[in-house]
Amino acid sequence: QVQFVESGGGLVQPGGSLRLSCAASGFTLDRYAIVWFRQAPGKEREGVSCISSSAAYTVYADSVKGRFTISRDNAKNTVALQMNSLKPEDTAVYYCATKAGLSLASCTNNWYRAYNNWGQGTQVTVSS
């Protein structure tokens, strides 16, 4: 069984920080690029960040660049998303997923819309 478990979400004030974690079960992450994406009510899914299988390459959506940092620990089979300077616009359910397509290990140009195997997600609410 391939499964992700996202955790670390919660209610935070604008300007605050959260660290999301993504734990994999049923498979090992080290062969895959991993994508974080989010979805807010009434909005399309938005790719947030991608990290290559070796962590040699990372990419971010313009909306979070400079505020979010993606990382991975292949030995622990986990991926993290450090979120700083949070804004109300960041409110969404956050998911992690494996990269899909011809190249599973690389954050190719379509990383933000080519992924699968996501979990239940974790709710992030940024509000005063």
Side-chain angles (χ1 to χ4, degrees):
Q1 183 179 1
V2 176
Q3 184 176 350
F4 277 122
V5 178
E6 298 94 342
S7 62
L11 175 64
V12 64
Q13 294 184 343
S17 298
L18 286 172
R19 185 176 179 87
L20 306 184
S21 295
C22 175
S25 63
F27 69 103
T28 56
L29 292 174
D30 60 3
R31 296 185 63 184
Y32 300 92
I34 302 298
V35 176
W36 281 97
F37 71 93
R38 65 189 182 185
Q39 187 164 29
K43 299 182 66 176
E44 296 180 351
R45 292 185 297 178
E46 178 186 17
V48 174
S49 184
C50 181
I51 184 167
S52 64
S53 62
S54 67
Y57 178 80
T58 59
V59 63
Y60 300 89
D62 288 341
S63 59
V64 307
K65 193 174 299 182
R67 300 187 297 119
F68 291 9
T69 303
I70 191 170
S71 62
R72 67 191 301 158
D73 187 340
N74 286 342
K76 297 181 179 179
N77 216 30
T78 60
V79 177
L81 185 69
Q82 178 67 45
M83 307 186 297
N84 299 325
S85 302
L86 284 163
K87 304 175 180 179
E89 309 93 90
D90 296 318
T91 296
V93 178
Y94 284 71
Y95 304 85
C96 59
T98 54
K99 173 71 170 59
L102 296 178
S103 180
L104 302 180
S106 301
C107 298
T108 52
N109 288 339
N110 66 343
W111 65 268
Y112 58 91
R113 53 179 34 178
Y115 44 79
N116 54 26
N117 297 323
W118 59 85
Q120 298 298 310
T122 184
Q123 176 72 50
V124 172
T125 303
V126 184
S127 176
S128 60

